[in-house]
């Protein structure tokens, strides 16, 4: 019977081993979701994150295990080549760090631990599908599986209006992006008659459809759709708002993993499927890259919210990384891979510090939360310093080699001016990166006085408020210290845990004044919230940035493997 | 005698790290050890150096094969004396700090200080373009922190301005360096390599070279600074803590000079020829502008800052005379200037202490009366700055002007004005601070022993170097020739230059004539 069935029904030959990471993530997500339903709060708050971490580690390990096997799975719907595997490891890594950052966050508590972490795992799964897609259908599938959990995750901090707004905004704009992408994919199918990347590449390589309006509109729409996800200007406007409003661990995850996934699929689509039409899309994409660098770097200047600043910086970084796609060479793919890894580490270090400071100061993600960090908390000050310097491309960090690699790739294929654009963009970026470093290490005399006088958190910091206004507010707040010793102080002083929670509320809730009073009473020192895992993430990422900046060879090897297994460049 | 250069290179950084983790009180002593061991090592280097040999003490291992970057260090005539200068000035600064500890976070200071010395030495040692760029950019990081955390006045704004100004140049150089490597590899059909030796003798088209040249030149001219890139300088100089200012003004700007000789002239000879005139004109403008500004400023730091600009204008002219004399004069003058400017900066602190804390020459005056030794030391340094015969500056400027006369008479004539102007601003500064009417808040007193321990050796070094510059000249001669060989091959002047009598002889005559002066 079986033999007859095998002879008549052609079942797809499935390489289950290659699908391992996806299976692990799926199973893990379900288990995590179910575990989240347990009654015991301890199980929910501890077991669920542990299981999520375990899932991510298993998935990452399964991916590492099949390095260099470059398997086509599910009738070439997916290709687990080295790029896909490297990205899988990267997503899982980012996922683990996100779990660590979320551990004491309010968001999982608001949304339910099971749901929160399960959504995270599903998002990672979507990213893996997206990064390994070889078919237009899987592209869209992965894109949606990645997006939908993120829309929800952005809004998980239910008690914060900003979070809800962020989720809604992301949903609406993300849907526009999805629509563009879907339309583009459909047109591409119409133009080439194929959904498989290799078949598309053949059709495009034939050259007949090169000037075809249908084909060109398809490219334009696909690029638009993916540009939304990668926050490439001018489709980046959602980025700062969503990043600012979303719970910071989610922001960190979106900033690094989503961007990596989007760039992975951009490089796959454009450097594999439609690489034959490179002369058509490369100039447009180069223009986008330059605009992106410019918009991102200019936008980041003058942001007082560090999350917004990092959002714009991530826009700029996307511009740099697009260069790796535009050159459409093996070297470009390698440079992109290298830079993506560097990008993840640099940003994770920065976000971890922001998370830590949000909980410690009640100033939210305002840059003033970092003021004087160098003297106060060296274990946080160094990571953010290294992250900022690395993002700016200073030597002895990964950012330096990443930029050199990208410039190398650009010059190598005759795009020297893009290399120049990268360095000019980087020089602009110094303005805001150094501002953060200056805030950490060089609190100017006036501002340190202001910090000393400030009943921290007494006044919700509105992002974008001018520093002058802040100072005025400071002096006013300092002039009325009476609130400090009212009985509310004692009511506000609850368990350690509660205070942490209240603090995460960004100081936007009305109890801010009480907490400030509490702090004034206790002493000027910001409370030391016990959060070793956040500090560990920051320190580990920063150490990696430095270490791989001095000994970048292993990462170069990985990038080379990725490049060699990628696509069909000559 | 062959200790790896890596030890000397990383010694200061490692000790800086050590200082950062050891108890607070030890920081300055570890810092001293970090600065003095390289100084001892460099003495051995100078004695051991073979002027006829090429690069010595070579360390050369692949670092990042994927990018063709090698960890490649060496000493030759071009960098030897700049290394000497670096170690001397860092040692002097460290000693100064040991006597006058920084007002807060000494451990962190020692850490950044050590990194700074390592970065400067690394840029000088590097025989690989990517490695050079790396260290050149790395220099900025500790300086950023040193100025921003321990500086004076509006230090944060000043340091951000300084870093952005100089890093914009550096980043363009980064792009140019990568492009040079890639394009040369493509032209020669070789694997990518950034080793400077592999890049020399390339066949890049003059147009390409010109673009690359602009990238490098911008980085170096900003760092120096030369006209019109001096925008960061006044604020930066005002804000820098003094020990930092000493090595910044003395050494860091010299790395830019070195970059021209090590990288630009050998690798981009066509462009160097194309840009010879514009650069020489920039040099002349720097001299005239710097001198004029130095003459009108009243802040002593800025007087020195603008005088440095003028001196570096000289050096640019020397380099872009594209003659062996000019190149050698440029190296010598770079060392001289660093050596001369350092004690003057220290003296400024002492002057300010005696003038009620003001660094303005209008608040000074009449200091010499009760501090003759201090005045004497200042006079020697000032005289050396204005290149009085008998000082090594005289030899350096002589060689530079000789080179300039050979290539562009008009430029040389204009540059000569700078020599005269130097005496105007330096003597003005000396007279206004040491003589004249006593300033309102001036309380003169003699140099303390501790301060003397820093300043006297530096002044003695000026004298020694002035009386006996031959060793430096001999040791740098071959390398200076090598540096401009590529350019001279393009002009066909190579054979002519080789027939020239030895430069050291000219140097010797110059010094000999100087010795007749008191």
């Amino acid at each position: 019977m079986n033999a007859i069935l095998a002879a008549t029904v052609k079942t797809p030959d499935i390489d289950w081993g290659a699908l391992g990471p996806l299976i692990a993530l799926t199973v893990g997500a379900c288990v995590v979701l179910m575990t989240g339903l347990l009654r015991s709060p301890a199980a929910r708050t501890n077991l669920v994150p542990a299981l999520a971490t375990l899932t991510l580690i298993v998935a990452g390990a399964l991916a590492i295990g099949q390095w260099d096997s470059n398997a086509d799975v599910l009738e070439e719907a997916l290709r687990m080549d080295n790029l896909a595997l490297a990205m899988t490891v990267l997503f899982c890594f980012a996922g683990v760090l996100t779990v660590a950052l979320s551990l004491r966050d309010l968001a999982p508590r608001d949304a339910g631990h099971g749901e929160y972490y399960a959504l995270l795992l599903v998002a990672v799964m979507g990213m893996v599908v997206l990064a390994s897609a070889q078919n237009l259908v899987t592209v869209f599938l992965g894109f949606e599986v990645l997006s939908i959990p993120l829309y929800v995750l952005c809004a998980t901090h239910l008690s914060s209006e900003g979070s809800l707004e962020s989720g809604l905004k992301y949903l609406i704009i993300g849907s526009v992006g999805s629509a563009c992408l879907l339309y583009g994919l459909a047109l591409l199918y119409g133009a080439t008659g194929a959904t498989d990347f290799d078949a598309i590449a053949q059709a495009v390589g034939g050259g007949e459809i090169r000037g075809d309006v249908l084909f060109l509109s398809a490219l334009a729409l696909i690029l638009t759709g993916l540009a939304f996800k990668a926050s490439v200007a001018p489709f980046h406007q959602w980025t700062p708002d969503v990043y600012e409003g979303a719970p910071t661990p989610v922001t960190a995850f979106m900033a690094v993993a989503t961007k990596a996934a989007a760039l992975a699929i951009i490089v796959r689509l454009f450097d594999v499927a439609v690489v034959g039409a490179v002369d058509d899309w490369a100039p447009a994409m180069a223009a986008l890259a330059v605009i992106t660098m410019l918009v991102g770097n200019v936008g980041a200047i003058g942001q007082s919210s560090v999350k917004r600043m990092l959002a714009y910086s991530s826009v700029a970084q996307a511009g740099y990384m697009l260069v790796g796609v535009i050159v459409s060479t093996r070297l470009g793919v390698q440079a992109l891979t290298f830079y993506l890894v560097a990008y993840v580490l640099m940003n994770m270090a920065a976000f971890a510090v922001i998370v830590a400071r949000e909980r410690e100061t009640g100033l939210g993600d305002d840059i003033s939360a970092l003021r004087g960090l160098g003297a106060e908390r060296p274990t946080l000050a160094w990571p953010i310093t290294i992250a900022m310097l690395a993002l700016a491309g200073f030597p002895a960090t990964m950012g330096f080699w990443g930029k050199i690699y990208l410039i190398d790739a650009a010059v190598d294929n005759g795009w020297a001016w893009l290399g120049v654009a990268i360095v000019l963009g980087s020089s602009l970026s110094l303005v805001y990166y150094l501002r953060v470093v200056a805030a950490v290490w060089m609190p100017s005399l006036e501002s340190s006085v202001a910090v000393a006088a400030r009943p921290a958190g007494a006044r919700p910091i509105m992002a974008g408020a001018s520093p002058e206004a802040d100072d005025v507010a400071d002096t006013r707040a300092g002039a009325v210290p009476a609130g400090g010793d009212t009985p509310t102080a004692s009511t506000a002083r609850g368990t350690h845990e509660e205070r942490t929670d209240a603090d995460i509320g960004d100081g936007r809730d009305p109890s801010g004044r009480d907490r400030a009073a509490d702090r004034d009473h206790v002493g000027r020192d910001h409370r030391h919230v016990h959060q070793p895992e956040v500090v560990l993430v920051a320190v580990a990422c920063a150490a990696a940035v430095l270490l791989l900046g001095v000994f970048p060879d292993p990462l170069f090897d990985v990038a080379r493997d990725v490049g060699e297994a990628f696509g069909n460049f000559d | 005698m062959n200790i790896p250069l890596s030890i000397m290179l990383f010694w200061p950084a490692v000790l800086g790290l050590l200082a950062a983790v050891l108890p607070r009180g030890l920081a300055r002593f570890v810092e001293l050890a970090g600065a003095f061991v390289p100084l001892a090592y460099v003495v051995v280097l100078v004695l051991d150096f073979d002027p006829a040999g090429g690069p010595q003490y070579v360390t050369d291992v692949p670092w990042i094969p994927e990018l063709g970057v090698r960890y490649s260090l060496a000493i030759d005539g071009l960098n030897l004396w700049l290394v000497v200068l670096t170690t001397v000035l860092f040692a002097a600064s460290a000693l100064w700090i040991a006597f006058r500890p920084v007002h807060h976070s000494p451990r962190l200071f020692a850490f950044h200080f050590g990194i700074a010395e390592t970065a400067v030495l690394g840029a000088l040692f590097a025989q690989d373009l990517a490695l050079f760029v790396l260290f050149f950019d790395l220099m900025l990081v500790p300086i950023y922190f040193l100025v921003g955390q321990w500086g004076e006045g509006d230090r944060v704004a000043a340091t951000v301005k300084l870093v952005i100004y100089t890093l914009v140049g550096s980043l363009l150089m980064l792009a140019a360096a990568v492009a040079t490597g890639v394009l040369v590899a493509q032209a020669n059909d070789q694997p990518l390599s950034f080793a400077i030796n592999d890049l020399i003798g390339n066949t890049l088209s003059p147009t390409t070279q010109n673009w690359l040249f602009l990238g490098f030149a911008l980085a170096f001219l900003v760092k120096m600074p030369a006209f019109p890139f001096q925008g960061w300088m006044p604020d930066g100089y005002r804000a820098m803590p003094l020990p930092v200012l000493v090595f910044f003004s003395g050494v860091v700007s010299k790395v830019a000079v070195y970059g021209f000789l090590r990288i630009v002239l050998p690798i981009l000879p066509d462009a160097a020829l194309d840009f010879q005139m514009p650069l020489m004109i920039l040099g002349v403008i720097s001299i005239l502008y710097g001198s004029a500004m130095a003459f009108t400023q009243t802040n002593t730091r800025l007087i020195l800052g603008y005088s440095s600009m003028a001196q570096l204008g000289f050096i640019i002219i020397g380099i872009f005379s594209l003659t062996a004399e000019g190149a050698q004069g440029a190296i010598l003058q770079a060392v001289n200037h660093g050596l001369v400017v350092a004690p003057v900066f220290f003296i400024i602190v002492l002057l300010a202490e005696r003038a009620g804390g003001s660094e303005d020459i209008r608040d000074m005056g009449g200091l010499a009366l009760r501090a003759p030794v201090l005045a004497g030391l200042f006079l020697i340094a000032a005289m050396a700055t204005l290149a009085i015969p008998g000082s090594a500056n005289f030899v350096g400027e002589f060689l530079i002007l000789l080179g300039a006369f050979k290539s562009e008479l008009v430029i040389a004539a204009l540059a000569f004005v700078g020599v005269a102007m130097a005496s105007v601003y330096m003597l003005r500064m000396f007279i206004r601070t040491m003589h004249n009417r006593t300033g309102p808040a001036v309380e003169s007193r003699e140099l303390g022993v501790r301060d003397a321990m820093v300043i006297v050796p530096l002044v003695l070094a000026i004298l020694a170097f002035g009386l006996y510059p031959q060793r430096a000249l001999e040791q740098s001669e071959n390398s200076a020739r090598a540096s401009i060989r590529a350019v001279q091959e393009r002009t066909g002047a190579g054979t002519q230059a080789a027939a020239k009598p030895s430069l050291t002889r000219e140097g010797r005559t110059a010094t000999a004539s100087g010795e007749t002066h008191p």
Side-chain angles (χ1 to χ4, degrees):
Chain A
M1 182 66 191
N2 265 348
I4 298 168
L5 202 66
T8 51
V9 182
K10 189 168 165 286
T11 54
D13 182 25
I14 297 175
D15 180 354
W16 294 103
L19 282 178
L22 282 172
I23 296 169
L25 286 167
T26 319
V27 172
C30 297
V31 172
V32 164
L33 193 60
M34 291 302 147
T35 319
L37 298 175
L38 290 178
R39 291 192 68 167
S40 136
R44 276 186 274 139
T45 50
N46 299 328
L47 189 60
V48 166
L51 280 175
T53 311
L54 182 71
T55 309
L56 289 164
I57 290 174
V58 167
L62 285 173
I64 293 173
Q66 45 178 317
W67 191 252
D68 265 341
S69 65
N70 302 316
D72 277 320
V73 276
L74 296 176
E75 296 288 309
E76 297 185 8
L78 302 175
R79 175 174 295 158
M80 300 307 272
D81 60 4
N82 285 344
L83 177 67
L85 296 174
M87 288 301 131
T88 305
V89 175
L90 203 61
F91 302 144
C92 291
F93 177 70
V96 171
L97 299 189
T98 309
V99 172
L101 296 187
S102 310
L103 219 49
R104 287 166 218 268
D105 210 84
L106 204 56
R109 223 159 293 179
D110 270 7
H113 289 86
E115 286 85 338
Y116 181 89
Y117 291 109
L119 284 170
L120 188 68
L121 293 180
V122 174
V124 172
M125 187 178 79
M127 289 170 184
V128 175
V129 172
L130 191 60
S132 55
Q134 278 295 301
N135 192 303
L136 298 183
V137 179
T138 27
V139 169
F140 191 67
L141 189 72
F143 195 80
E144 287 301 295
V145 173
L146 136 72
S147 305
I148 293 169
L150 280 177
Y151 300 147
V152 184
L153 279 173
C154 283
T156 42
H157 192 173
L158 296 173
S159 55
S160 149
E161 233 174 76
S163 174
L164 298 178
E165 182 197 331
S166 146
L168 188 63
K169 197 170 253 177
Y170 195 28
L171 171 64
I172 294 170
I173 293 181
S175 311
V176 174
S178 297
C180 286
L181 177 68
L182 188 59
Y183 213 154
L185 295 177
L187 290 185
L188 187 59
Y189 173 63
T192 59
T195 59
D196 185 74
F197 282 9
D198 289 334
I200 294 173
Q202 265 178 357
V204 175
E208 297 95 54
I209 60 161
R210 282 282 304 278
D212 189 8
V213 179
L214 196 59
F215 177 65
L216 292 181
S217 349
L219 288 187
L221 284 168
I222 290 174
L223 187 56
T224 307
L226 295 175
F228 269 112
K229 195 90 327 188
S231 43
V232 167
F235 310 106
H236 69 285
Q237 279 99 341
W238 60 274
T239 320
D241 294 346
V242 173
Y243 278 23
E244 191 191 10
T248 311
V250 176
T251 307
F253 183 68
M254 282 202 301
V256 298
T258 313
K259 185 146 301 189
L263 279 159
I265 190 57
I266 289 179
V267 76
R268 265 200 204 286
L269 254 171
F270 285 87
D271 281 356
V272 175
V274 295
V275 71
V278 60
D279 296 340
D280 295 331
W281 58 260
M285 205 190 270
L288 277 188
V290 173
I291 295 172
T292 306
M293 295 177 206
L294 195 68
V295 168
N297 283 320
V298 172
I301 298 171
Q303 296 292 342
S304 69
S305 149
V306 185
K307 269 158 91 178
R308 281 186 84 89
M309 188 276 276
L310 281 175
Y312 277 110
S313 121
S314 85
V315 172
Q317 305 276 338
Y320 307 149
M321 290 189 270
L322 271 187
V323 173
V325 181
I326 293 162
V327 296
S328 48
T329 56
R330 215 173 279 290
L331 198 60
V333 178
Q334 294 174 9
L336 175 65
T337 312
F338 187 98
Y339 204 92
L340 272 176
V341 176
Y343 172 81
V344 167
L345 288 169
M346 301 185 287
N347 274 289
M348 269 302 180
F351 276 111
V353 174
I354 298 172
V355 169
R357 287 309 275 180
E358 271 183 351
R359 295 175 191 171
E360 283 176 7
T361 64
L363 292 173
D365 63 333
D366 193 86
I367 194 164
S368 57
L370 300 173
R371 209 166 274 161
L373 204 58
E376 202 182 317
R377 298 290 308 274
T379 44
L380 291 177
W382 281 109
I384 191 146
T385 307
I386 292 167
M388 290 296 130
L389 294 181
L391 281 167
F394 272 92
T397 64
M398 288 173 87
F400 180 74
W401 298 116
K403 291 225 168 91
I404 285 206
Y405 214 6
L406 280 175
I407 296 170
D408 175 15
V411 177
D412 191 57
N413 204 25
W415 289 93
W417 67 271
L418 274 180
V420 175
I422 291 180
V423 295
L424 290 179
S426 310
S427 18
L428 262 180
S429 73
L430 287 172
V431 177
Y432 54 90
Y433 291 132
L434 289 183
R435 203 169 136 241
V436 173
V437 179
V440 170
W441 292 102
M442 311 156 192
S444 55
L445 203 61
E446 315 82 72
S447 63
S448 60
V449 169
V451 165
R454 161 188 300 161
R459 159 188 55 87
I461 303 273
M462 300 306 287
S466 67
E468 293 84 356
D470 286 4
D471 285 341
V472 171
D474 278 339
T475 43
R476 275 190 203 142
V480 215
D485 296 309
T486 52
T488 46
S490 54
T491 51
R493 200 178 307 135
T495 62
H496 179 83
E497 192 85 314
E498 275 170 12
R499 276 196 281 154
T500 316
D501 289 352
D503 218 11
I504 295 157
D506 279 3
R508 278 180 200 182
D509 45 343
S511 69
R513 181 163 280 277
D514 300 343
R515 285 184 288 108
D518 174 26
R519 195 170 305 118
D520 250 22
H521 195 72
V522 173
R524 259 200 302 106
D525 250 1
H526 297 310
R527 281 155 312 151
H528 282 267
V529 182
H530 185 65
Q531 43 183 355
E533 75 285 347
V534 178
V535 178
L536 183 71
V537 166
V539 171
C541 286
V545 167
L546 267 193
L547 210 61
L548 284 170
V550 180
F551 304 104
D553 242 9
L555 193 54
F556 274 111
D557 289 345
V558 170
R560 197 187 50 234
D561 283 356
V562 167
E564 275 168 3
F566 182 84
N568 23 17
F569 302 121
D570 20 71
Chain B
M1 192 68 196
N2 207 344
I3 313 167
L5 281 181
S6 305
I7 295 180
M8 176 175 177
L9 172 58
F10 288 106
W11 178 270
V14 170
L15 283 226
L17 200 60
L18 202 63
V21 294
L22 288 177
R24 235 177 116 82
L26 288 177
R28 50 190 164 139
F29 302 110
V30 179
E31 198 175 355
L32 265 186
F36 269 87
V37 170
L39 180 63
Y41 185 50
V42 90
V43 173
V44 178
L45 274 186
V46 170
L47 296 177
D48 191 49
F49 186 82
D50 171 17
Q56 291 158 41
Y57 291 84
V58 180
T59 303
D60 187 20
V61 288
W63 183 20
I64 303 170
E66 202 63 34
L67 287 177
V69 178
R70 302 184 69 81
Y71 174 71
S72 171
L73 313 172
I75 287 280
D76 64 8
L78 221 47
N79 57 15
L80 174 67
W81 284 89
L82 287 170
V83 171
V84 174
L85 175 71
T86 308
T87 50
V88 167
L89 293 196
F90 271 92
S93 294
L95 196 62
W96 182 265
I97 295 159
F99 290 142
R100 293 157 178 263
V102 290
H103 46 80
H104 67 93
S105 330
R107 291 186 286 181
L108 214 50
F109 188 95
F111 175 68
H112 290 304
F113 189 83
I115 301 271
E117 181 167 5
T118 291
V120 174
L121 286 177
L124 292 174
F125 287 153
Q127 302 294 313
D128 183 290
L129 189 52
L131 198 64
F132 173 82
V133 173
L134 189 152
F135 281 118
F136 192 82
D137 288 356
L138 189 63
M139 291 193 296
L140 273 179
V141 179
I143 288 170
Y144 172 69
F145 286 107
L146 287 170
V147 178
Q149 284 183 270
W150 291 273
E152 292 148 32
D154 198 1
R155 58 199 152 99
V156 179
T159 191
V160 168
K161 193 171 174 185
L162 184 160
V163 169
I164 289 177
Y165 242 104
T166 44
L167 205 63
V168 169
S170 298
L171 284 168
L172 283 174
M173 176 174 73
L174 173 79
V178 175
T180 308
V182 173
L183 294 175
V184 170
Q186 282 178 350
N188 299 357
D189 210 11
Q190 283 166 346
L192 184 59
S193 165
F194 286 101
I196 292 176
N197 278 334
D198 292 353
L199 299 175
I200 293 175
N202 59 65
T203 51
L204 297 178
S205 75
T207 331
T208 316
Q209 286 196 17
N210 285 351
W211 283 110
L212 298 173
F213 180 91
L214 285 177
F216 283 107
L218 193 63
F220 296 147
L221 292 176
V222 173
K223 197 75 147 198
M224 279 178 168
F227 188 84
F229 306 107
Q230 78 284 10
W232 57 268
M233 196 267 286
D235 288 347
Y237 268 49
R238 264 196 293 255
M240 267 185 215
L242 212 108
V244 177
L245 186 52
V246 165
F247 74 74
F248 186 87
S249 177
V251 179
V252 173
S253 58
K254 306 309 179 295
V255 180
V257 173
Y258 171 73
F260 270 121
L261 290 170
R262 164 72 69 206
I263 292 164
V264 174
L265 298 193
I267 297 180
L268 307 168
D270 289 325
L273 277 171
D274 274 4
F275 282 96
Q276 180 182 16
M277 207 52 198
L279 263 291
M280 283 180 98
I281 291 172
L282 271 191
V284 169
I285 297 177
S286 294
I287 294 177
L288 298 179
Y289 179 84
S291 304
M293 291 301 281
F295 185 59
T296 49
Q297 293 297 319
T298 56
N299 182 316
T300 41
R301 288 183 183 219
L302 292 192
I303 295 177
L304 278 185
Y306 284 110
S307 90
S308 304
M309 196 176 153
Q311 298 287 328
L312 283 158
F314 261 110
I315 295 174
I316 297 174
I317 290 177
I319 296 169
F320 281 90
S321 69
L322 302 180
T323 58
E325 295 86 348
Q328 216 186 344
I331 301 174
L332 189 66
Q333 194 60 5
V335 178
N336 284 335
H337 176 250
L339 214 52
V340 166
V341 87
V344 181
F345 273 124
F346 287 129
I347 289 170
I348 285 179
V349 178
L350 301 181
L351 296 181
E353 281 174 358
R354 285 154 179 73
S358 166
E359 287 177 354
D360 198 297
I361 55 171
R362 285 170 302 190
D363 299 329
M364 298 177 183
L367 285 162
L369 202 59
R370 286 172 198 276
V373 178
L374 181 60
L377 293 172
F378 190 13
L379 186 64
I380 295 172
M383 286 296 173
T385 311
L386 59 85
I388 197 137
S391 65
N393 296 53
F394 177 75
V395 185
E397 285 188 7
F398 184 88
L399 284 172
I400 288 174
L401 288 175
L402 188 67
F405 269 116
K406 276 187 188 165
S407 68
E408 291 294 337
L409 192 63
V410 184
I411 297 284
L414 285 170
F416 195 75
V417 179
V419 182
M421 288 172 84
S423 53
V424 176
Y425 60 73
M426 278 320 287
L427 289 179
R428 165 176 175 262
M429 183 169 160
F430 181 77
I431 294 169
R432 292 287 293 266
T433 53
M434 287 299 179
H435 299 301
N436 272 12
R437 191 177 301 124
T438 310
V442 169
E443 274 182 56
S444 185
R445 59 178 186 280
E446 190 48 281
L447 180 73
V449 178
R450 292 179 157 195
D451 300 330
M453 279 174 71
V454 179
I455 295 169
V456 170
L458 282 173
V459 172
L460 288 180
I462 295 175
L463 288 176
F465 202 54
L467 294 175
Y468 190 68
Q470 277 90 336
R471 189 165 192 100
L473 286 168
E474 278 163 20
Q475 289 181 336
S476 62
E477 185 181 350
N478 273 333
S479 302
R481 278 192 198 292
S483 159
I484 58 155
R485 187 172 299 135
V487 180
Q488 291 193 327
E489 276 164 10
R490 302 293 154 113
T491 56
T495 46
Q496 185 201 343
K500 281 264 150 48
S502 161
L503 291 171
T504 48
R505 205 172 305 144
E506 285 160 6
R508 204 165 291 146
T509 47
T511 335
S513 68
E515 277 162 7
T516 57
H517 288 261

